[in-house]
Amino acid sequence: MVRSLTLTAFALALIAGLSLADPAINVRYERGVPIIQLAGNYASSHYTIYRGTAPERTDLAITDDQALCMGDCYAIDFAAEPGRTYWYRFDLNLADGRYVSFGPYAVTIAPGLAYRVSVAIRPNPGRGPARVDLSVAAGPGATAVAAEATLFDVRGRVVSTLHRGPLAAGVTTIPWDGRDREGGVVAPGLYFLRLSTPIGAFVARVVRIP
């Protein structure tokens, strides 16, 4: 009987320990920007993701405070620099009212997959007005860089200059009315949007539809 109780207590302790184990995280890259995602489904929970340069300094929130989790809890880390190692912490208020904190997780941003700068347009394919995301990977307090975002046609001719001037670290979203530099609506077809800065350049394909 004593042995049975001992084994039962051990099993309960093991299960409790497993329940407290941190889930894995997944890292993927879209348009050169790292996305840090917690493994598992946490639908209807609220979460905040923090990043730091050391395990004991995960104090920079990189998501909205208490964002609603639709299933996947993730952060798009526009300011993460290629080649650097960061620590990420996930704080969750679960749907059942419990609070949990996972991490910190060490992640080295892959130099071959992450880019110092990137650009994207939404919607794409699209027609009419659009929004353009200009991204610069740099740490907090970094100075702005000179940047130019230019739309070219397939022959390399300038169609429109969407941005020219300083660009802060992180992501800057600007509107575009869908018109060329002469004020006409850009014709359907394939174009290239290039973001040029002193620290790098990035080119994105842009498809305009009828």
Side-chain angles (χ1 to χ4, degrees), residues 67-79:
L68 176 62
C69 188
M70 304 303 292
D72 296 329
C73 300
Y74 67 91
I76 303 174
D77 197 351
F78 289 100

Side-chain angles (χ1 to χ4, degrees), residues 48-62 85-91 99 101-107:
T48 307
I49 301 176
Y50 297 87
R51 186 191 71 197
T53 54
E56 66 279 5
R57 296 185 58 189
T58 51
D59 51 6
L60 176 66
I62 59 172
T85 297
Y86 300 98
W87 279 261
Y88 294 88
R89 188 182 87 239
F90 294 73
D91 289 357
Y99 168 84
S101 183
F102 298 128
Y105 300 90
V107 175

Side-chain angles (χ1 to χ4, degrees), residues 173-209:
T173 301
I174 61 173
W176 176 49
D177 60 8
R179 296 182 178 274
D180 60 25
R181 58 181 178 177
E182 305 298 330
V185 176
V186 171
L190 174 64
Y191 299 87
F192 298 94
L193 179 57
R194 178 181 175 86
L195 176 61
S196 301
T197 76
I199 63 172
F202 189 92
V203 177
R205 290 164 57 93
V206 178
V207 177
R208 304 301 283 172
I209 58 178

Side-chain angles (χ1 to χ4, degrees), residues 41-46 68-71 93-95:
N41 189 314
Y42 301 90
S44 300
S45 300
H46 289 81
L68 176 62
C69 188
M70 304 303 292
N93 285 309
L94 302 178

Side-chain angles (χ1 to χ4, degrees), residues 5 26 29 33 38 48 59 61 63 67 80 100 103 114 116 120 123 135 194 197:
L5 290 175
N26 302 310
Y29 299 81
V33 178
L38 188 67
T48 307
D59 51 6
T63 63
V100 293
R116 296 293 303 276
S135 305
R194 178 181 175 86
T197 76

Side-chain angles (χ1 to χ4, degrees), residues 9-172:
F10 174 78
L12 290 173
L14 179 60
I15 292 172
L18 290 174
S19 68
L20 295 176
D22 285 359
I25 61 168
N26 302 310
V27 182
R28 67 182 192 275
Y29 299 81
E30 292 186 5
R31 303 190 309 272
V33 178
I35 299 175
I36 315 300
Q37 179 179 323
L38 188 67
N41 189 314
Y42 301 90
S44 300
S45 300
H46 289 81
Y47 70 100
T48 307
I49 301 176
Y50 297 87
R51 186 191 71 197
T53 54
E56 66 279 5
R57 296 185 58 189
T58 51
D59 51 6
L60 176 66
I62 59 172
T63 63
D64 293 336
D65 185 43
Q66 292 298 293
L68 176 62
C69 188
M70 304 303 292
D72 296 329
C73 300
Y74 67 91
I76 303 174
D77 197 351
F78 289 100
E81 298 184 67
R84 291 196 62 179
T85 297
Y86 300 98
W87 279 261
Y88 294 88
R89 188 182 87 239
F90 294 73
D91 289 357
L92 283 76
N93 285 309
L94 302 178
D96 62 8
R98 290 181 299 151
Y99 168 84
V100 293
S101 183
F102 298 128
Y105 300 90
V107 175
T108 299
I109 306 302
L113 299 176
Y115 308 125
R116 296 293 303 276
V117 298
S118 65
V119 61
I121 188 168
R122 299 174 286 137
N124 187 28
R127 64 170 67 87
R131 301 180 70 82
V132 178
D133 292 334
L134 308 174
S135 305
V136 176
T143 58
V145 297
E148 182 170 302
T150 307
L151 187 70
F152 297 90
D153 64 16
V154 293
R155 296 184 179 180
R157 297 174 298 191
V158 175
V159 175
S160 180
T161 299
L162 281 59
H163 173 85
R164 180 185 290 124
L167 195 60
V171 61
T172 300

